Amino acid sequence: MAKKNTLFKNTIYKSILSIVNIVVPIIIGPYIMRLLDVDLYGMYNRVFADFQMFLAFAGFGVYTLGVREISKIRDDKEKVSKLFTNLFMISMLSNLLVLILYVTYSLLTSTGMARILYLVMTIQIFANIFYVEFVNEALENYKFITIKSVIVKIIYFLSILLAVRNPDDIVIYAIVVSLTNFLNNIISFIYAKRRIKFNFSKIEIKKYIKPLIAVLYSQLDRVMLGKYVNDVSVTIYYTAFYLISTLASIPYAIINVSIPRLSYLLKNKNKEVYEEKLNNSISSLLFIIVPMCLGVFVLAKEIIILYAGKKYLAAIIPLMIACITRIFISLESVMNNLVMYPNNREDRILKVSLVCGTSNLIINYLLVIFKIFSPITALATTGLVELIVFITHYIYARRKMNINVQVFSKKNITYIILSLLFIPISLLLRKFNLGFYITMILIIITCMLLYFIVLYIKKDNNLMFILDKFKNKLKVGKK
């Protein structure tokens, strides 16, 4: 059933998609943040934070389980059809239940403009019923996913520019976002259904309930900021978190395309092949994510000014903390998606998530009591929790599961050390006071040259692999 695509080709497709997902927000984000009223946009982000809590439960972990399990059986059309039907039924029931709870919550806790925003976002919960991208991911249909998503992003881009024109157009903005989400999901659903038929001969919903339980504690920060601080603090938190998350979507393509392939290898090949691909994926991720995060860290001020304007300077330090946190989140994501899930350790993920999520909640409430809860402390506590989750899974995988996870290999440590050198380099270049743009460009060029020249001298295999691929492409192009 699945096409025989290489991990490199899949990563290229996902990277193209990620680049589009970066370019569009980079253009639209500053437009929205400068145009919309600060308080209204803060209200939107506070409502959106609440909405995401409900959406997380509505999704019920179907996406992750679907990618992993379907990738294992993708060569058996009948099994894929049965599993797809079961997961769709679970998704439909969970989304409809959450939709009822969400509407009730919004009517009881909000009034005026906030209530309108809450109700507009019900479109996205309904749209989530048709979110079956896990099938296309598992069958490695990345070409379709990329083309479809690029077209939808273009529609979104044009809709924002044409419809959102005034500072108080916050409801119109929410409608555009929600309808775009619906369009994206319904196209994927139609594409998947043309290739996979529903099979209601053996519905086993109960069988999948336990593996689907997950606790997404990272959403709690934004909800609590809106409740205990103010709406603007949610925007500051969200801006920092969103910027680095958007940029990180490019290296995350490595994780996403590796999930179905590693699950398939573990099921159909042997452990050695799985470990080799696993460690290659980890190394490739760190090769990009570490310098990217440290690069944004040293340019946090410039990035916030260019993206959001000087009225959001309070987001500079949160962005710096979010950069460090993102590295921890990346490592935790590797352990969850490439180690724990493929090896059927959902119970382990659930236990660790419950303990760490509860700890994060308690810490946040202590920060509220001592009146030091803010976007900065919220991001810092989340980063600490993510680090603990990663360390816990890492030790467990090596000692209990006997999996040779090579996160701290000599090669990966080199990436970290070279990236940390960006900090003294940026501090030194800032002392010359050469102006905003010249200083920013010099920091970027100097840090990139240091990173890639040293790796080229060391013949780093990740860098050499990319260079060889581009050389081959150039030769083909000339021919």
Side-chain angles (χ1 to χ4, degrees):
M1 269 185 87
K3 297 177 181 178
K4 299 298 182 181
N5 294 324
T6 66
L7 276 176
F8 181 76
K9 284 185 178 180
N10 291 339
T11 303
I12 291 296
Y13 282 129
K14 287 290 284 187
S15 296
I16 292 171
L17 175 58
S18 298
I19 290 170
V20 173
N21 287 337
I22 290 173
V23 171
V24 172
I26 282 177
I27 297 173
I28 287 296
Y31 173 76
I32 290 297
M33 296 191 75
R34 285 170 170 79
L35 173 66
L36 294 177
D37 177 81
V38 173
D39 292 327
L40 285 177
Y41 192 53
M43 179 189 296
Y44 170 86
N45 284 317
R46 189 248 304 167
V47 171
F48 188 65
D50 284 354
F51 160 75
Q52 284 187 307
M53 280 291 292
F54 283 91
L55 189 65
F57 286 102
F60 207 51
V62 166
Y63 178 88
T64 302
L65 182 68
V67 172
R68 191 196 73 208
E69 294 301 320
I70 290 178
S71 64
K72 292 178 182 178
I73 58 173
R74 63 190 185 190
D75 296 327
D76 190 320
K77 189 173 182 179
E78 185 178 353
K79 287 183 179 179
V80 170
S81 179
K82 288 181 178 179
L83 179 55
F84 172 68
T85 304
N86 276 280
L87 293 179
F88 179 79
M89 291 295 293
I90 293 171
S91 178
M92 182 177 68
L93 292 172
S94 64
N95 277 283
L96 290 175
L97 176 61
V98 169
L99 180 60
I100 294 170
L101 295 173
Y102 175 76
V103 171
T104 304
Y105 171 82
S106 63
L107 293 175
L108 292 175
T109 62
S110 64
T111 58
M113 184 68 74
R115 176 177 289 183
I116 294 173
L117 291 173
Y118 273 112
L119 295 178
V120 167
M121 290 181 190
T122 58
I123 297 171
Q124 295 188 54
I125 297 180
F126 179 73
N128 205 49
I129 294 173
F130 304 99
Y131 185 55
V132 296
E133 203 77 283
F134 60 85
V135 175
N136 297 316
E137 291 266 5
L139 301 181
E140 300 188 35
N141 295 323
Y142 292 107
K143 184 176 181 180
F144 158 75
I145 295 172
T146 301
I147 294 173
K148 176 263 304 182
S149 300
V150 168
I151 292 172
V152 172
K153 283 291 183 183
I154 292 172
I155 294 172
Y156 164 76
F157 176 80
L158 295 175
S159 299
I160 290 291
L161 293 181
L162 292 173
V164 185
R165 307 294 294 274
N166 302 302
D168 58 350
D169 283 346
I170 194 68
V171 174
I172 297 175
Y173 174 67
I175 291 172
V176 171
V177 171
S178 298
L179 288 179
T180 302
N181 186 274
F182 178 80
L183 178 63
N184 181 75
N185 291 359
I186 203 69
I187 293 174
S188 290
F189 177 76
I190 293 171
Y191 182 85
K193 279 298 288 106
R194 287 175 62 185
R195 286 153 179 78
I196 305 173
K197 304 300 180 183
F198 281 136
N199 186 339
F200 296 99
S201 62
K202 194 176 182 182
I203 302 298
E204 299 178 297
I205 292 179
K206 186 177 179 181
K207 173 182 176 181
Y208 299 104
I209 294 298
K210 190 175 181 180
L212 285 170
I213 298 174
V215 178
L216 302 179
Y217 49 82
S218 61
Q219 302 293 339
L220 293 173
D221 292 340
R222 277 166 278 181
V223 174
M224 292 184 66
L225 283 169
K227 184 176 181 181
Y228 293 106
V229 186
N230 53 53
D231 290 351
V232 176
S233 69
V234 181
T235 300
I236 291 171
Y237 180 104
Y238 180 76
T239 300
F241 189 85
Y242 177 75
L243 276 170
I244 192 61
S245 299
T246 303
L247 291 172
S249 63
I250 293 180
Y252 271 29
I254 295 167
I255 294 179
N256 293 333
V257 302
S258 296
I259 294 170
R261 186 61 60 88
L262 288 174
S263 297
Y264 179 80
L265 290 175
L266 198 59
K267 176 76 174 180
N268 299 281
K269 300 294 181 181
N270 56 58
K271 186 179 178 183
E272 288 71 26
V273 175
Y274 160 76
E275 288 182 345
E276 181 184 358
K277 290 290 185 182
L278 167 66
N279 290 316
N280 285 341
S281 297
I282 293 172
S283 178
S284 298
L285 173 68
L286 294 179
F287 168 72
I288 304 174
I289 195 71
V290 175
M292 178 180 289
C293 288
L294 270 297
V296 175
F297 178 91
V298 300
L299 291 170
K301 181 180 179 180
E302 288 79 5
I303 290 171
I304 289 297
I305 291 174
L306 289 173
Y307 182 80
K310 292 186 178 180
K311 61 183 178 180
Y312 287 105
L313 287 176
I316 293 173
I317 295 178
L319 177 57
M320 296 174 75
I321 296 174
C323 290
I324 305 302
T325 298
R326 179 52 52 179
I327 297 175
F328 300 153
I329 292 174
S330 302
L331 293 171
E332 182 264 343
S333 181
V334 164
M335 297 307 301
N336 272 345
N337 293 304
L338 303 187
V339 179
M340 295 296 166
Y341 275 123
N343 287 278
N344 300 315
R345 291 297 196 278
E346 294 90 351
D347 287 350
R348 173 75 186 176
I349 294 174
L350 177 59
K351 290 175 183 177
V352 173
S353 296
L354 280 172
V355 172
C356 291
T358 303
S359 300
N360 190 40
L361 184 63
I362 293 171
I363 293 172
N364 282 346
Y365 272 110
L366 288 174
L367 294 174
V368 171
I369 292 171
F370 289 106
K371 301 185 185 303
I372 53 174
F373 189 58
S374 69
I376 294 175
T377 55
L379 283 163
T381 55
T382 297
L384 177 62
V385 169
E386 295 287 356
L387 178 61
I388 292 172
V389 172
F390 158 68
I391 293 173
T392 303
H393 284 331
Y394 176 76
I395 294 173
Y396 181 83
R398 290 184 65 91
R399 294 184 178 178
K400 302 295 184 180
M401 299 169 63
N402 197 29
I403 295 177
N404 184 25
V405 186
Q406 296 178 3
V407 174
F408 301 104
S409 65
K410 184 178 179 181
K411 179 169 56 176
N412 295 341
I413 294 297
T414 300
Y415 301 149
I416 297 172
I417 293 173
L418 287 175
S419 300
L420 286 172
L421 291 177
F422 296 174
I423 298 175
I425 288 173
S426 65
L427 292 174
L428 178 63
L429 291 174
R430 290 184 190 281
K431 289 185 178 294
F432 292 102
N433 296 317
L434 298 173
F436 183 89
Y437 291 103
I438 294 177
T439 300
M440 181 175 65
I441 293 170
L442 276 177
I443 290 173
I444 294 172
I445 293 175
T446 306
C447 291
M448 286 182 66
L449 286 175
L450 168 73
Y451 190 76
F452 290 114
I453 288 175
V454 172
L455 292 181
Y456 184 79
I457 293 172
K458 292 175 67 65
K459 300 297 180 184
D460 177 79
N461 56 359
N462 279 310
L463 179 61
M464 301 313 292
F465 176 79
I466 294 173
L467 292 176
D468 288 341
K469 285 289 183 181
F470 279 110
K471 285 179 183 177
N472 293 334
K473 291 290 182 182
L474 289 174
K475 289 178 182 179
V476 172
K478 288 179 179 179
K479 289 180 181 179

